Amino acid sequence: MTTIYDIAKRTGYSPTTVSKAFNNYSDVREKTRQEILEAAREMGYLPNAHARTLTTKKSWTIGVLFVEGTGAGIRHPFFGAVIEDFKQVAVEKGYALMFISKDVGGKQSGYLENCRIHGVDGVVVLLSDYGDPYFQELLESNIPMVILDYETAQAHTVCSDNTAGALQAVEYLVSLGHRRIAHISGGKGTFPGKQRELGYIAAMESHSLEIPEGGIVEGAFYSLESGYAAMQQLLALQERPTAVFASGDLLAQGAVMAARDSGLAVPADISVMGFDDIELSKFVTPALTTVRQDTALLGRRAAEVLLSSIDEGRGEMQALVFPVEVVVRESCAPPAEE
Amino acid sequence: MTTIYDIAKRTGYSPTTVSKAFNNYSDVREKTRQEILEAAREMGYLPNAHARTLTTKKSWTIGVLFVEGTGAGIRHPFFGAVIEDFKQVAVEKGYALMFISKDVGGKQSGYLENCRIHGVDGVVVLLSDYGDPYFQELLESNIPMVILDYETAQAHTVCSDNTAGALQAVEYLVSLGHRRIAHISGGKGTFPGKQRELGYIAAMESHSLEIPEGGIVEGAFYSLESGYAAMQQLLALQERPTAVFASGDLLAQGAVMAARDSGLAVPADISVMGFDDIELSKFVTPALTTVRQDTALLGRRAAEVLLSSIDEGRGEMQALVFPVEVVVRESCAPPAEE
DNA sequence: AGTGAATATTAAAGGGCTTACATTTACGGC
DNA sequence: GCCGTAAATGTAAGCCCTTTAATATTCACT
């Protein structure tokens, strides 16, 4: 492995000068720099990131805290899309991404601990359970951080305007003529779930529509299965709703399947609307009418916020909220005449 | 930041002993170790991975080479699933995962270079374009490596039995009574694409079935759009095939949509079969009959192969091939009477 | 020539950890 | 009491790089 010492020996300069040549110090003569760079190329020199980090305290590494345990992980359609765009700008700026787990080598250690051990310069958080004590510990720390799908004054946050999204969704259903609109809520603990539920309630109130007794059902983990189960509950209601707004696309799709299995046609007999616009939503039949989040924008802006927080200190915490839009497809229609 | 020197000072032992205490050397007395560990805990000591790596030459980091550029990246449904399981066993064994890009900080540098700079202990490769010269460069190197969805004698490889899968697919279609079976092939450059096409051809021959002129169409990037276009070509054929075997689920789904847009019902008028069994395949209508790859197994075994290659030297190259299975759902049926 | 200011180069000190090797301590046996 | 061995601990060098402060060189100008 070639080091700056080897280059120094070969060119006759000191290691100091060699190092400076690579780091574009203004006090090495252009001719000298060229000589050194040329030698480095010939010798196949590559800098050692660990040695550099050891002295500079800067690792050029960003920790990625990704949903663990639920079995979704990297597969998670929404977070997966966001992180991909995040990665693009981070890499562009010279950073590498590293997954931070809480149990490494079978030892329970926690996110913060692993961040410290690896000396990451910052962290991007994409979790669904923000109650996790290990996450809280990280949150208390002073590591530059950006969190997705969550809001807190303790860190920069980036999320979609869930409340407004839910509002728009209900608006749309109302505009089709629906009045008995039920809601399949996201998991209790999730931030977007709460927001969307709030938006739903607010929208119903603003139209003076009554929320049917039992008209809000919780679906766990945003999973297809829980959407299915939730829909079964809704269909068993005294007065069956004519439209259902689900907090996630998978929940919605589960609802569609439950309706179908009960002999109801979507959207002829009952309308179903989702949230997220994950990839599969345009392929299912009927294609899902939903609320689209701009994942590319979320990812990109999250990266920008984090990087500038790394460069310029944490500064004022930013809570970025991005607008969403209703994507009309085939799963909603005016209610059937009664 | 607490270091072993701080602990040494506080406990009165030397840094050496402190280091040994952490590394479970047998020559520190149990009582001493306890004292040191206790002090470390009180002082909030955490080891510095970079310093450790610098001396030991072992980074406990695995580089992940993930499809770039096509826009799919982490979203890629198949690779995403595989890497998730890979990650699980790697983390379990104490490794962290780091994404390796070829252009960092706007500089074109290449995979190998970045692996060296970060001193990764090994690399897992999930690419679709294995012709990339930067990948070739990496392949020539001696970095422990496991490659997915590819075969070469130069590295350990893990893939599904694509040929057999294609064979089984055709078998199944034949068993339903189909004889005019067309194929939508994967991209020219992809390894699984070639394998599956070969399997298709072999299967057709073994049944003495003629491959219709123009009955093999290439779909680029395994994308929905190219599946759609390919299907349009097939439907325009003199004698329309009664069944189409597509090299990927997205291709297949595109084909289904093309058929539908041409006024054909799937599977009543034409059967469509896919490959991969990505998540959405069970949600579309008709649910896609396809060939399932065991992504969990692929990921897990890939990790095991890589880790043992790291521990015990590269050794004999292994080419692991895993069986696949036909998943019967709704998109295939016996051909219509003529 | 001599001065001072600017420019170019280097020595040396870390950064936090591991490890080969050296040294000290403990202890049973004579 | 002294020796030898095994067990426990310590010294010091080294991993590769950066950075501060000091030294050397150049050059313009009296």
Side-chain angles (χ1 to χ4, degrees), chain B residues 3-308:
Chain B
T3 74
I4 54 170
Y5 285 86
D6 301 325
I7 303 181
K9 205 168 298 168
R10 160 116 160 224
T11 57
Y13 292 103
S14 72
T16 304
T17 305
V18 175
S19 171
K20 287 180 172 178
F22 288 125
N23 292 285
N24 293 312
Y25 273 57
S26 62
D27 62 356
V28 342
R29 211 186 342 174
E30 188 51 33
K31 177 168 162 284
T32 309
R33 183 201 313 288
Q34 289 309 332
E35 262 177 74
I36 291 175
L37 262 41
E38 171 62 18
R41 198 170 318 118
E42 283 174 14
M43 303 173 75
Y45 169 78
L46 288 178
N48 179 318
H50 300 285
R52 198 211 292 288
T53 300
L54 190 54
T55 55
T56 59
K57 310 283 188 220
K58 166 115 186 172
S59 65
W60 289 97
T61 297
I62 288 175
V64 178
L65 240 156
F66 221 97
V67 244
E68 284 186 308
T70 67
I74 301 173
R75 270 178 284 238
H76 190 112
F78 173 68
F79 286 154
V82 172
I83 199 69
E84 177 65 24
D85 289 288
F86 180 97
K87 178 184 167 209
Q88 237 136 65
V89 354
V91 166
E92 162 78 18
K93 298 290 186 205
Y95 289 86
L97 260 47
M98 172 179 254
F99 283 111
I100 299 293
S101 316
K102 53 182 169 183
D103 308 315
V104 175
K107 253 171 296 180
Q108 182 108 347
S109 34
Y111 296 123
L112 178 57
E113 180 167 332
N114 286 114
C115 285
R116 288 262 152 78
I117 290 176
H118 286 109
V120 299
D121 298 328
V123 191
V124 52
V125 181
L126 306 97
L127 250 39
S128 39
D129 174 16
Y130 287 103
D132 183 338
Y134 283 120
F135 163 68
Q136 288 300 327
E137 181 190 38
L138 181 69
L139 191 56
E140 305 291 335
S141 83
N142 58 354
I143 293 185
M145 178 167 25
V146 63
I147 311 181
L148 272 118
D149 247 15
Y150 189 61
E151 276 185 6
T152 166
Q154 295 177 83
H156 299 296
T157 56
V158 171
C159 55
S160 287
D161 195 338
N162 291 297
T163 318
L167 228 114
Q168 288 169 243
V170 174
E171 283 309 326
Y172 173 67
L173 291 171
V174 168
S175 79
L176 288 178
H178 292 279
R179 313 203 41 106
R180 263 202 321 288
I181 304 173
H183 179 52
I184 300 180
S185 164
K188 218 181 201 89
T190 86
F191 180 80
K194 250 181 265 173
Q195 297 282 302
R196 291 168 195 174
E197 183 168 330
L198 252 37
Y200 158 78
I201 294 173
M204 292 297 277
E205 277 175 4
S206 87
H207 284 280
S208 316
L209 293 176
E210 199 186 334
I211 295 174
E213 167 106 22
I216 302 184
V217 186
E218 277 212 1
F221 297 121
Y222 285 90
S223 71
L224 187 93
E225 290 75 15
S226 67
Y228 190 96
M231 188 60 153
Q232 289 184 314
Q233 278 184 252
L234 291 175
L235 294 179
L237 287 181
Q238 197 79 13
E239 283 199 297
R240 196 196 324 128
T242 62
V244 174
F245 164 54
S247 196
D249 281 355
L250 243 31
L251 290 174
Q253 182 58 19
V256 168
M257 293 167 97
R260 189 146 52 209
D261 289 354
S262 297
L264 295 175
V266 177
D269 300 321
I270 188 166
S271 291
V272 176
M273 190 156 177
F275 206 116
D276 285 348
D277 193 26
I278 60 179
E279 197 179 12
L280 83 82
S281 298
K282 54 176 172 291
F283 299 144
V284 295
T285 312
L288 208 59
T289 293
T290 185
V291 180
R292 174 185 299 149
Q293 305 198 57
D294 191 340
T295 55
L297 187 61
L298 291 174
R300 197 158 294 132
R301 294 290 291 125
E304 287 164 8
V305 167
L306 180 60
L307 298 190
S308 78

Side-chain angles (χ1 to χ4, degrees), chain A residues 4-5 19 25 45 52:
Chain A
I4 53 170
Y5 285 85
S19 171
Y25 272 59
Y45 169 77
R52 198 211 291 288

Side-chain angles (χ1 to χ4, degrees), chain A residues 200-283:
Chain A
Y200 159 78
I201 294 172
M204 293 297 277
E205 277 174 2
S206 86
H207 285 280
S208 317
L209 293 176
E210 200 186 333
I211 295 174
E213 168 106 24
I216 301 182
V217 186
E218 278 213 2
F221 297 120
Y222 285 91
S223 71
L224 188 93
E225 290 75 14
S226 67
Y228 190 98
M231 187 61 154
Q232 289 184 314
Q233 277 184 251
L234 290 175
L235 295 178
L237 287 181
Q238 196 79 13
E239 284 199 297
R240 195 195 327 126
T242 62
V244 174
F245 164 53
S247 195
D249 281 354
L250 243 32
L251 290 175
Q253 182 57 21
V256 168
M257 291 167 98
R260 190 146 53 208
D261 288 354
S262 297
L264 296 174
V266 177
D269 299 321
I270 188 165
S271 292
V272 176
M273 191 156 176
F275 206 115
D276 285 347
D277 193 25
I278 61 178
E279 199 180 12
L280 86 82
S281 299
K282 54 175 171 292
F283 299 145

Side-chain angles (χ1 to χ4, degrees), chain A residues 103-109, chain B residues 90-95:
Chain A
D103 309 314
V104 176
K107 253 171 297 179
Q108 183 108 347
S109 34
Chain B
V91 166
E92 162 78 18
K93 298 290 186 205
Y95 289 86

